[in-house]
Amino acid sequence: MTEPERLGIIEAIKQLKARYLRLADTKDWEGLARCFCADVVCDWRGATTDPGTGRNLLPGSDAVISGREAVMQTIVASLGEVRSVHQCFMPEIEVTGEDTACGIWAMADRLYIPAGTGITILQGYGHYHNTFRRVKGDWMIQTLRLIRLRVEIEQ
């Protein structure tokens, strides 16, 4: 692979990740589903647990979900009524093959949670760990793991 080809892959993956975040925040579920491989695996274990206290702030969100349809059902159920703002920055992307890559993004998100949960805002900081696969010319998310470094809440 040439250096321009490698850099082109890295740029395509950056665009994919940016699109994924925007589509999640704007609740474009059909567009978001197109970001995932059919056999995607998303690991959200601990994603809403405060590492400092060990308290899971949104019980029921600790799960490993496999398959695009199941992942989308989980995302819609989790974020459907939540106003979210996701940001990712400082990507570390490694092209591992002609059609495969992996990456880590520093992240911050702010979730505005509807009344009745005891939490009004969840602010999280951490890293997304992803693998990517090119399918029929399009880069897609193969695996997603969110690891939190800090979680803050407002009640």
Side-chain angles (χ1 to χ4, degrees):
M1 169 182 319
T2 67
E3 186 64 7
E5 289 170 331
R6 188 183 75 79
L7 293 174
I9 290 170
I10 289 171
E11 182 58 29
I13 290 169
K14 287 179 183 179
Q15 293 291 316
L16 168 63
K17 188 67 173 185
R19 187 169 49 256
Y20 160 81
L21 298 169
R22 176 180 53 81
L23 295 171
D25 288 344
T26 60
K27 316 280 187 254
D28 181 342
W29 307 131
E30 289 180 25
L32 186 63
R34 289 190 297 271
C35 292
F36 295 116
C37 292
D39 59 348
V40 64
V41 176
C42 292
D43 184 348
W44 286 299
R45 290 174 297 169
T48 59
T49 299
D50 181 352
T53 65
R55 178 179 171 217
N56 186 347
L57 302 168
L58 295 174
S61 61
D62 277 351
V64 177
I65 309 294
S66 299
R68 182 187 297 135
E69 185 175 319
V71 164
M72 287 307 303
Q73 288 173 353
T74 301
I75 290 172
V76 171
S78 299
L79 290 180
E81 299 299 317
V82 172
R83 178 63 51 206
S84 62
V85 179
H86 290 85
Q87 298 177 325
C88 283
F89 33 89
M90 301 176 353
E92 304 169 55
I93 301 170
E94 178 185 356
V95 178
T96 56
E98 292 291 324
D99 295 317
T100 58
C102 60
I104 301 172
W105 272 263
M107 63 78 63
D109 62 357
R110 192 164 173 95
L111 307 177
Y112 298 88
I113 301 168
T117 63
I119 299 170
T120 57
I121 298 173
L122 182 146
Q123 175 81 45
Y125 307 92
H127 295 95
Y128 276 109
H129 296 253
N130 293 110
T131 62
F132 305 94
R133 189 172 74 217
R134 186 166 26 196
V135 179
K136 297 180 183 176
D138 294 323
W139 284 95
M140 304 175 111
I141 298 169
Q142 177 67 56
T143 63
L144 180 152
R145 172 84 168 113
L146 174 55
I147 298 174
R148 299 274 189 187
L149 300 175
R150 182 165 174 83
V151 176
E152 301 170 353
I153 61 167
E154 293 179 27
Q155 297 179 322

